[in-house]
Amino acid sequence: PNADSHLSGKRYLGFYGNVDLTAPFGTTGTLLLDPELLRIVDGAAGTGSLDGTLNPGGIINFGDGGADENVTVGQINATGTTADIDLNAGQINFENSTDITLGVNNSISFTADSVAAGGGAGTISNPGAFSFSINTSGTGTISFDAESSLNLAGVTLNSADAVSLASGGTAVLGDISAASLNVTAGGNIAHASGLNAISVIGGTTLTADGAAISATLDSATNDFGSVTLAGISGGSFASVSVRDLSALTIGGDATALFARADGGILTFNGGSYGTLNGQSSLGMAQTGALTVSGVATFTASTNAIAAAFTTASNDFASVTLASSGGGSFSNASFVDANALSVGGNATALTADAGGALTFTGGTYGSLSGVSGGDITQSGALDVSGTTNLTSDATAITAARSYGADEP
C-alpha cells in the first residue's frame, strides 16, 4: 500500500507544515492541488494557502480549492523529497524565481483544466517571465497538460527521464534537458526566442492534435537524438523546422520540412512532404522511404559530403543539390520508384528512376543515369569524366557534355 493522504475542503483548504509520505512496506504516494487559479510562488514551506494539500496518494476534485490559491516552492521542494507532486487547477501561473527540485525518482506534473475546476483559463504560463528550473532525477519525470495553452518561456526543465508536454492550443517551450521528450499540441509548437537549447538524449515526438500546426525548434544549440512527427484526431504539420548541433534523425509527415544537422549526419527515417529541405555538414542518408510531391532541396554545408537516398520506394518529384559555406557533394545517389528530375553540382551523381529521368543541369565529375522511361535534360550539363546513361525506353536526349580538357 501507499502512504496516501487525502485532504479536501468545500471551497478553501489550508495546511501548514510538512508531511512524511513514505511507507515502510509500500510506495510513495502522490500530491494533488486543485483550485481554480493556482499560483506557484516563492516562500518558505507552510506559508502558502495550499501548502497543506501536498499530501500523497489522494485525489482532490478540481472544485475543492478557492478561486485564487497559491503554493510555495519551499513546500513543493520539502514535500517533493519523499513524494511525487501533482498540481491541478483551472489555471496555473508561475510567479517564482526559486528552482523547484524533487527528491530522487520523484515526479512532478501540472494540469490546467477550467471545466474540471469550474473556472480559470485552462492555461499554464510564466506571465512574469521569471527564470527558474524544474528538476527531477533518477526515474523522476516532468509533465504538463494545459487545456488551452502552455507557455514555459523562461522555465528550464531538467529530467534524467521523460518530459511530456500537452496543450490544447499553442505550446511555447523553454530550455529542456531530458532522456525523452513528447510534445502534443493543438496549436503551434515553438522554442521561446532568446533561450539556449533543447537537449534530448533519446527520442523526441511532436504530435499535432486536431489541427494543421507548425513546429519551430531551430536553435543552433539544440541537440536531439531523433525526432518523430505524428498526428492525432486529424492533426497534421503544415511546417516543421528542426536544427541540431550534431547528428539528427527525423521522420514523419509534414507539408514542409526543414531539417538541419550542423555537426553530424542528417538521416531521414521516412515521411511524406510537400517540400523537403535538408542541410548537413557531414552527410545525408535515409532509413525509410521519402515521398516529396514538390521540390526536395539538399544542401551541403562547410564540407564535402555524401548523400545516399537509395530506398527503392522513394518518390521524389524534383531534387536540387545546393551548397552553403564552402560545402559540396562528393557523391550523391538517388533512387525513385517513378519519374525523377534532379540537378545541382556533385563530384559524382547517380540517379535511378523507375519512370522518366530528367537532368535539370549541373557540373559533375561523373554522371550515371538509369531510367525506366526516357532520359532528357532541361538545363546544361558539364561532366568532366564519364557519363553513363541507360534507358528502358527508346529516347535518350541530352546535349553534348564537355570535359575540362575539351575545346
Side-chain angles (χ1 to χ4, degrees):
N2 294 346
D4 292 346
S5 178
H6 184 172
L7 298 181
S8 64
K10 177 68 175 178
R11 180 69 172 172
Y12 298 97
L13 175 63
F15 176 85
Y16 301 91
N18 297 321
V19 179
D20 186 355
L21 305 172
T22 58
F25 302 103
T27 59
T28 300
T30 302
L31 165 68
L32 297 100
L33 306 175
D34 296 50
E36 293 177 14
L37 169 61
L38 178 63
R39 295 180 292 112
I40 314 298
V41 299
D42 293 320
T47 61
S49 65
L50 282 182
D51 277 8
T53 61
L54 297 181
N55 293 277
I59 298 176
I60 302 173
N61 292 324
F62 274 93
D64 285 347
D68 186 345
E69 304 281 5
N70 65 74
V71 62
T72 64
V73 174
Q75 189 66 63
I76 293 172
N77 288 345
T79 305
T81 60
T82 57
D84 295 334
I85 304 295
D86 188 355
L87 309 179
N88 302 271
Q91 176 179 338
I92 298 176
N93 290 355
F94 289 103
E95 300 177 6
N96 58 293
S97 57
T98 304
D99 294 343
I100 296 173
T101 303
L102 273 65
V104 177
N105 299 329
N106 291 333
S107 300
I108 188 166
S109 65
F110 303 83
T111 301
D113 188 328
S114 65
V115 176
T123 60
I124 302 176
S125 64
N126 180 20
F130 294 101
S131 179
F132 66 95
S133 64
I134 299 175
N135 309 285
T136 63
S137 58
T139 58
T141 62
I142 301 173
S143 64
F144 287 80
D145 190 346
E147 170 199 5
S148 298
S149 66
L150 176 66
N151 190 335
L152 298 178
V155 183
T156 299
L157 306 179
N158 297 312
S159 173
D161 204 280
V163 170
S164 298
L165 309 175
S167 172
T170 58
V172 178
L173 284 53
D175 291 340
I176 298 172
S177 177
S180 65
L181 173 64
N182 288 277
V183 184
T184 301
N188 295 339
I189 300 169
H191 186 204
S193 61
L195 298 183
N196 293 315
I198 298 174
S199 178
V200 184
I201 297 172
T204 295
T205 301
L206 307 178
T207 303
D209 185 0
I213 69 172
S214 67
T216 306
L217 305 177
D218 55 5
S219 171
T221 51
N222 288 339
D223 192 2
F224 298 100
S226 65
V227 175
T228 300
L229 307 177
I232 58 175
S233 302
S236 62
F237 283 98
S239 64
V240 176
S241 179
V242 178
R243 186 175 180 180
D244 197 300
L245 63 81
S246 56
L248 173 64
T249 297
I250 189 167
D253 302 338
T255 302
L257 172 63
F258 174 74
R260 177 173 174 176
D262 288 335
I265 294 175
L266 174 60
T267 302
F268 294 95
N269 60 17
S272 296
Y273 311 97
T275 60
L276 176 61
N277 284 271
Q279 179 172 323
S280 174
S281 64
L282 287 183
M284 299 185 197
Q286 68 178 133
T287 57
L290 297 172
T291 298
V292 187
S293 60
V295 178
T297 303
F298 300 108
T299 303
S301 61
T302 310
N303 302 307
I305 69 170
F309 296 96
T310 56
T311 299
S313 53
N314 286 339
D315 189 3
F316 297 104
S318 176
V319 172
T320 298
L321 302 177
S323 62
S324 173
S328 63
F329 284 97
S330 58
N331 186 293
S333 301
F334 296 92
V335 172
D336 195 303
N338 301 297
L340 172 64
S341 294
V342 61
N345 303 330
T347 302
L349 173 64
T350 300
D352 186 336
L357 175 61
T358 301
F359 292 102
T360 60
T363 300
Y364 310 98
S366 64
L367 176 64
S368 176
V370 176
S371 173
D374 296 339
I375 298 178
T376 61
Q377 70 179 123
S378 61
L381 298 172
D382 186 345
V383 185
S384 60
T386 302
T387 298
N388 291 302
L389 302 177
T390 303
S391 173
D392 291 339
T394 58
I396 298 179
T397 305
R400 183 183 179 191
S401 301
Y402 290 95
D405 57 350
E406 295 184 76

PDB file of all heavy atoms in Angstrom, residues 96-125:
ATOM      1  N   ASN A  96       7.352  32.513  -9.489  1.00  0.00           N
ATOM      2  CA  ASN A  96       8.513  32.221  -8.659  1.00  0.00           C
ATOM      3  C   ASN A  96       9.800  32.376  -9.441  1.00  0.00           C
ATOM      4  O   ASN A  96       9.831  32.225 -10.658  1.00  0.00           O
ATOM      5  CB  ASN A  96       8.426  30.800  -8.115  1.00  0.00           C
ATOM      6  CG  ASN A  96       8.328  29.759  -9.227  1.00  0.00           C
ATOM      7  OD1 ASN A  96       7.337  29.696  -9.934  1.00  0.00           O
ATOM      8  ND2 ASN A  96       9.365  28.957  -9.371  1.00  0.00           N
ATOM      9  N   SER A  97      10.873  32.648  -8.725  1.00  0.00           N
ATOM     10  CA  SER A  97      12.208  32.649  -9.325  1.00  0.00           C
ATOM     11  C   SER A  97      13.093  31.596  -8.675  1.00  0.00           C
ATOM     12  O   SER A  97      14.240  31.410  -9.080  1.00  0.00           O
ATOM     13  CB  SER A  97      12.853  34.035  -9.183  1.00  0.00           C
ATOM     14  OG  SER A  97      12.914  34.426  -7.832  1.00  0.00           O
ATOM     15  N   THR A  98      12.555  30.892  -7.681  1.00  0.00           N
ATOM     16  CA  THR A  98      13.285  29.830  -6.991  1.00  0.00           C
ATOM     17  C   THR A  98      13.101  28.516  -7.747  1.00  0.00           C
ATOM     18  O   THR A  98      11.996  28.199  -8.195  1.00  0.00           O
ATOM     19  CB  THR A  98      12.777  29.666  -5.551  1.00  0.00           C
ATOM     20  OG1 THR A  98      12.874  30.909  -4.870  1.00  0.00           O
ATOM     21  CG2 THR A  98      13.581  28.622  -4.798  1.00  0.00           C
ATOM     22  N   ASP A  99      14.179  27.749  -7.864  1.00  0.00           N
ATOM     23  CA  ASP A  99      14.114  26.471  -8.561  1.00  0.00           C
ATOM     24  C   ASP A  99      13.262  25.465  -7.796  1.00  0.00           C
ATOM     25  O   ASP A  99      13.245  25.439  -6.565  1.00  0.00           O
ATOM     26  CB  ASP A  99      15.514  25.899  -8.747  1.00  0.00           C
ATOM     27  CG  ASP A  99      16.371  26.733  -9.675  1.00  0.00           C
ATOM     28  OD1 ASP A  99      15.804  27.560 -10.416  1.00  0.00           O
ATOM     29  OD2 ASP A  99      17.610  26.566  -9.652  1.00  0.00           O
ATOM     30  N   ILE A 100      12.574  24.625  -8.541  1.00  0.00           N
ATOM     31  CA  ILE A 100      11.824  23.504  -7.980  1.00  0.00           C
ATOM     32  C   ILE A 100      12.658  22.245  -8.169  1.00  0.00           C
ATOM     33  O   ILE A 100      13.021  21.899  -9.300  1.00  0.00           O
ATOM     34  CB  ILE A 100      10.463  23.356  -8.672  1.00  0.00           C
ATOM     35  CG1 ILE A 100       9.599  24.589  -8.405  1.00  0.00           C
ATOM     36  CG2 ILE A 100       9.752  22.087  -8.209  1.00  0.00           C
ATOM     37  CD1 ILE A 100       8.301  24.616  -9.183  1.00  0.00           C
ATOM     38  N   THR A 101      12.949  21.544  -7.078  1.00  0.00           N
ATOM     39  CA  THR A 101      13.806  20.363  -7.136  1.00  0.00           C
ATOM     40  C   THR A 101      13.208  19.255  -6.291  1.00  0.00           C
ATOM     41  O   THR A 101      12.971  19.435  -5.101  1.00  0.00           O
ATOM     42  CB  THR A 101      15.228  20.678  -6.651  1.00  0.00           C
ATOM     43  OG1 THR A 101      15.780  21.744  -7.434  1.00  0.00           O
ATOM     44  CG2 THR A 101      16.125  19.459  -6.764  1.00  0.00           C
ATOM     45  N   LEU A 102      12.973  18.110  -6.915  1.00  0.00           N
ATOM     46  CA  LEU A 102      12.384  16.978  -6.218  1.00  0.00           C
ATOM     47  C   LEU A 102      13.440  15.963  -5.808  1.00  0.00           C
ATOM     48  O   LEU A 102      14.559  15.967  -6.334  1.00  0.00           O
ATOM     49  CB  LEU A 102      11.326  16.299  -7.096  1.00  0.00           C
ATOM     50  CG  LEU A 102       9.910  16.877  -7.020  1.00  0.00           C
ATOM     51  CD1 LEU A 102       9.875  18.308  -7.558  1.00  0.00           C
ATOM     52  CD2 LEU A 102       8.923  16.005  -7.767  1.00  0.00           C
ATOM     53  N   GLY A 103      13.043  15.083  -4.902  1.00  0.00           N
ATOM     54  CA  GLY A 103      13.922  14.019  -4.474  1.00  0.00           C
ATOM     55  C   GLY A 103      14.124  12.986  -5.562  1.00  0.00           C
ATOM     56  O   GLY A 103      13.387  12.939  -6.560  1.00  0.00           O
ATOM     57  N   VAL A 104      15.111  12.137  -5.391  1.00  0.00           N
ATOM     58  CA  VAL A 104      15.460  11.127  -6.396  1.00  0.00           C
ATOM     59  C   VAL A 104      14.260  10.233  -6.685  1.00  0.00           C
ATOM     60  O   VAL A 104      13.580   9.759  -5.768  1.00  0.00           O
ATOM     61  CB  VAL A 104      16.652  10.282  -5.913  1.00  0.00           C
ATOM     62  CG1 VAL A 104      16.969   9.179  -6.928  1.00  0.00           C
ATOM     63  CG2 VAL A 104      17.879  11.159  -5.694  1.00  0.00           C
ATOM     64  N   ASN A 105      13.991  10.029  -7.975  1.00  0.00           N
ATOM     65  CA  ASN A 105      12.928   9.170  -8.502  1.00  0.00           C
ATOM     66  C   ASN A 105      11.522   9.749  -8.338  1.00  0.00           C
ATOM     67  O   ASN A 105      10.547   9.089  -8.724  1.00  0.00           O
ATOM     68  CB  ASN A 105      12.975   7.769  -7.885  1.00  0.00           C
ATOM     69  CG  ASN A 105      14.275   7.040  -8.178  1.00  0.00           C
ATOM     70  OD1 ASN A 105      14.890   7.242  -9.219  1.00  0.00           O
ATOM     71  ND2 ASN A 105      14.707   6.212  -7.244  1.00  0.00           N
ATOM     72  N   ASN A 106      11.379  10.941  -7.804  1.00  0.00           N
ATOM     73  CA  ASN A 106      10.061  11.543  -7.662  1.00  0.00           C
ATOM     74  C   ASN A 106       9.729  12.393  -8.884  1.00  0.00           C
ATOM     75  O   ASN A 106      10.586  13.061  -9.453  1.00  0.00           O
ATOM     76  CB  ASN A 106       9.974  12.390  -6.391  1.00  0.00           C
ATOM     77  CG  ASN A 106      10.017  11.534  -5.140  1.00  0.00           C
ATOM     78  OD1 ASN A 106       9.627  10.373  -5.167  1.00  0.00           O
ATOM     79  ND2 ASN A 106      10.487  12.102  -4.042  1.00  0.00           N
ATOM     80  N   SER A 107       8.466  12.373  -9.273  1.00  0.00           N
ATOM     81  CA  SER A 107       7.997  13.052 -10.475  1.00  0.00           C
ATOM     82  C   SER A 107       7.115  14.232 -10.119  1.00  0.00           C
ATOM     83  O   SER A 107       6.581  14.327  -9.012  1.00  0.00           O
ATOM     84  CB  SER A 107       7.201  12.070 -11.358  1.00  0.00           C
ATOM     85  OG  SER A 107       8.001  10.980 -11.759  1.00  0.00           O
ATOM     86  N   ILE A 108       6.931  15.142 -11.109  1.00  0.00           N
ATOM     87  CA  ILE A 108       6.069  16.298 -10.916  1.00  0.00           C
ATOM     88  C   ILE A 108       5.213  16.504 -12.157  1.00  0.00           C
ATOM     89  O   ILE A 108       5.686  16.331 -13.280  1.00  0.00           O
ATOM     90  CB  ILE A 108       6.896  17.561 -10.591  1.00  0.00           C
ATOM     91  CG1 ILE A 108       5.957  18.718 -10.206  1.00  0.00           C
ATOM     92  CG2 ILE A 108       7.829  17.945 -11.721  1.00  0.00           C
ATOM     93  CD1 ILE A 108       6.697  19.890  -9.558  1.00  0.00           C
ATOM     94  N   SER A 109       3.935  16.830 -11.932  1.00  0.00           N
ATOM     95  CA  SER A 109       3.038  17.084 -13.053  1.00  0.00           C
ATOM     96  C   SER A 109       2.160  18.279 -12.761  1.00  0.00           C
ATOM     97  O   SER A 109       1.845  18.578 -11.599  1.00  0.00           O
ATOM     98  CB  SER A 109       2.179  15.846 -13.351  1.00  0.00           C
ATOM     99  OG  SER A 109       1.298  15.570 -12.270  1.00  0.00           O
ATOM    100  N   PHE A 110       1.767  18.977 -13.840  1.00  0.00           N
ATOM    101  CA  PHE A 110       0.922  20.162 -13.767  1.00  0.00           C
ATOM    102  C   PHE A 110      -0.221  19.973 -14.766  1.00  0.00           C
ATOM    103  O   PHE A 110       0.020  19.682 -15.937  1.00  0.00           O
ATOM    104  CB  PHE A 110       1.702  21.425 -14.142  1.00  0.00           C
ATOM    105  CG  PHE A 110       2.926  21.677 -13.296  1.00  0.00           C
ATOM    106  CD1 PHE A 110       4.128  21.029 -13.592  1.00  0.00           C
ATOM    107  CD2 PHE A 110       2.892  22.559 -12.231  1.00  0.00           C
ATOM    108  CE1 PHE A 110       5.268  21.266 -12.834  1.00  0.00           C
ATOM    109  CE2 PHE A 110       4.026  22.806 -11.467  1.00  0.00           C
ATOM    110  CZ  PHE A 110       5.204  22.148 -11.768  1.00  0.00           C
ATOM    111  N   THR A 111      -1.478  20.171 -14.299  1.00  0.00           N
ATOM    112  CA  THR A 111      -2.630  20.056 -15.175  1.00  0.00           C
ATOM    113  C   THR A 111      -3.537  21.265 -14.980  1.00  0.00           C
ATOM    114  O   THR A 111      -3.898  21.599 -13.847  1.00  0.00           O
ATOM    115  CB  THR A 111      -3.428  18.771 -14.884  1.00  0.00           C
ATOM    116  OG1 THR A 111      -2.577  17.638 -15.054  1.00  0.00           O
ATOM    117  CG2 THR A 111      -4.620  18.653 -15.824  1.00  0.00           C
ATOM    118  N   ALA A 112      -3.907  21.913 -16.090  1.00  0.00           N
ATOM    119  CA  ALA A 112      -4.839  23.034 -16.052  1.00  0.00           C
ATOM    120  C   ALA A 112      -6.063  22.673 -16.885  1.00  0.00           C
ATOM    121  O   ALA A 112      -5.946  22.412 -18.083  1.00  0.00           O
ATOM    122  CB  ALA A 112      -4.190  24.299 -16.595  1.00  0.00           C
ATOM    123  N   ASP A 113      -7.231  22.666 -16.220  1.00  0.00           N
ATOM    124  CA  ASP A 113      -8.486  22.317 -16.884  1.00  0.00           C
ATOM    125  C   ASP A 113      -9.589  23.177 -16.277  1.00  0.00           C
ATOM    126  O   ASP A 113     -10.031  22.936 -15.151  1.00  0.00           O
ATOM    127  CB  ASP A 113      -8.782  20.837 -16.687  1.00  0.00           C
ATOM    128  CG  ASP A 113      -9.966  20.356 -17.522  1.00  0.00           C
ATOM    129  OD1 ASP A 113     -10.888  21.156 -17.761  1.00  0.00           O
ATOM    130  OD2 ASP A 113      -9.956  19.174 -17.922  1.00  0.00           O
ATOM    131  N   SER A 114     -10.024  24.163 -17.024  1.00  0.00           N
ATOM    132  CA  SER A 114     -11.006  25.107 -16.489  1.00  0.00           C
ATOM    133  C   SER A 114     -12.375  24.463 -16.283  1.00  0.00           C
ATOM    134  O   SER A 114     -13.127  24.858 -15.393  1.00  0.00           O
ATOM    135  CB  SER A 114     -11.141  26.306 -17.433  1.00  0.00           C
ATOM    136  OG  SER A 114     -11.678  25.913 -18.685  1.00  0.00           O
ATOM    137  N   VAL A 115     -12.713  23.494 -17.082  1.00  0.00           N
ATOM    138  CA  VAL A 115     -14.003  22.825 -16.939  1.00  0.00           C
ATOM    139  C   VAL A 115     -14.029  21.994 -15.668  1.00  0.00           C
ATOM    140  O   VAL A 115     -14.972  22.071 -14.860  1.00  0.00           O
ATOM    141  CB  VAL A 115     -14.294  21.945 -18.169  1.00  0.00           C
ATOM    142  CG1 VAL A 115     -15.597  21.175 -17.979  1.00  0.00           C
ATOM    143  CG2 VAL A 115     -14.350  22.791 -19.432  1.00  0.00           C
ATOM    144  N   ALA A 116     -12.987  21.200 -15.458  1.00  0.00           N
ATOM    145  CA  ALA A 116     -12.933  20.370 -14.260  1.00  0.00           C
ATOM    146  C   ALA A 116     -12.855  21.198 -12.992  1.00  0.00           C
ATOM    147  O   ALA A 116     -13.398  20.821 -11.953  1.00  0.00           O
ATOM    148  CB  ALA A 116     -11.735  19.426 -14.349  1.00  0.00           C
ATOM    149  N   ALA A 117     -12.184  22.362 -13.062  1.00  0.00           N
ATOM    150  CA  ALA A 117     -12.013  23.205 -11.877  1.00  0.00           C
ATOM    151  C   ALA A 117     -13.178  24.161 -11.670  1.00  0.00           C
ATOM    152  O   ALA A 117     -13.292  24.787 -10.618  1.00  0.00           O
ATOM    153  CB  ALA A 117     -10.707  23.997 -11.983  1.00  0.00           C
ATOM    154  N   GLY A 118     -14.027  24.308 -12.675  1.00  0.00           N
ATOM    155  CA  GLY A 118     -15.127  25.258 -12.564  1.00  0.00           C
ATOM    156  C   GLY A 118     -14.701  26.699 -12.712  1.00  0.00           C
ATOM    157  O   GLY A 118     -15.426  27.614 -12.301  1.00  0.00           O
ATOM    158  N   GLY A 119     -13.547  26.933 -13.308  1.00  0.00           N
ATOM    159  CA  GLY A 119     -13.051  28.287 -13.506  1.00  0.00           C
ATOM    160  C   GLY A 119     -11.604  28.275 -13.944  1.00  0.00           C
ATOM    161  O   GLY A 119     -10.972  27.228 -14.047  1.00  0.00           O
ATOM    162  N   GLY A 120     -11.054  29.462 -14.198  1.00  0.00           N
ATOM    163  CA  GLY A 120      -9.697  29.566 -14.698  1.00  0.00           C
ATOM    164  C   GLY A 120      -9.684  29.604 -16.211  1.00  0.00           C
ATOM    165  O   GLY A 120     -10.705  29.422 -16.864  1.00  0.00           O
ATOM    166  N   ALA A 121      -8.504  29.827 -16.769  1.00  0.00           N
ATOM    167  CA  ALA A 121      -8.374  29.984 -18.218  1.00  0.00           C
ATOM    168  C   ALA A 121      -7.889  28.724 -18.919  1.00  0.00           C
ATOM    169  O   ALA A 121      -7.744  28.711 -20.139  1.00  0.00           O
ATOM    170  CB  ALA A 121      -7.411  31.135 -18.522  1.00  0.00           C
ATOM    171  N   GLY A 122      -7.603  27.672 -18.158  1.00  0.00           N
ATOM    172  CA  GLY A 122      -7.087  26.454 -18.762  1.00  0.00           C
ATOM    173  C   GLY A 122      -5.664  26.584 -19.254  1.00  0.00           C
ATOM    174  O   GLY A 122      -5.222  25.783 -20.076  1.00  0.00           O
ATOM    175  N   THR A 123      -4.931  27.563 -18.744  1.00  0.00           N
ATOM    176  CA  THR A 123      -3.567  27.829 -19.206  1.00  0.00           C
ATOM    177  C   THR A 123      -2.540  27.490 -18.133  1.00  0.00           C
ATOM    178  O   THR A 123      -2.832  27.516 -16.934  1.00  0.00           O
ATOM    179  CB  THR A 123      -3.398  29.310 -19.584  1.00  0.00           C
ATOM    180  OG1 THR A 123      -3.662  30.121 -18.432  1.00  0.00           O
ATOM    181  CG2 THR A 123      -4.357  29.694 -20.704  1.00  0.00           C
ATOM    182  N   ILE A 124      -1.338  27.197 -18.584  1.00  0.00           N
ATOM    183  CA  ILE A 124      -0.166  27.108 -17.713  1.00  0.00           C
ATOM    184  C   ILE A 124       0.859  28.056 -18.300  1.00  0.00           C
ATOM    185  O   ILE A 124       1.230  27.928 -19.470  1.00  0.00           O
ATOM    186  CB  ILE A 124       0.405  25.689 -17.636  1.00  0.00           C
ATOM    187  CG1 ILE A 124      -0.649  24.704 -17.128  1.00  0.00           C
ATOM    188  CG2 ILE A 124       1.636  25.649 -16.736  1.00  0.00           C
ATOM    189  CD1 ILE A 124      -0.189  23.250 -17.115  1.00  0.00           C
ATOM    190  N   SER A 125       1.316  29.033 -17.494  1.00  0.00           N
ATOM    191  CA  SER A 125       2.197  30.046 -18.062  1.00  0.00           C
ATOM    192  C   SER A 125       3.113  30.644 -17.001  1.00  0.00           C
ATOM    193  O   SER A 125       2.953  30.419 -15.798  1.00  0.00           O
ATOM    194  CB  SER A 125       1.371  31.163 -18.716  1.00  0.00           C
ATOM    195  OG  SER A 125       0.601  31.850 -17.744  1.00  0.00           O
TER     196      SER A 125
END
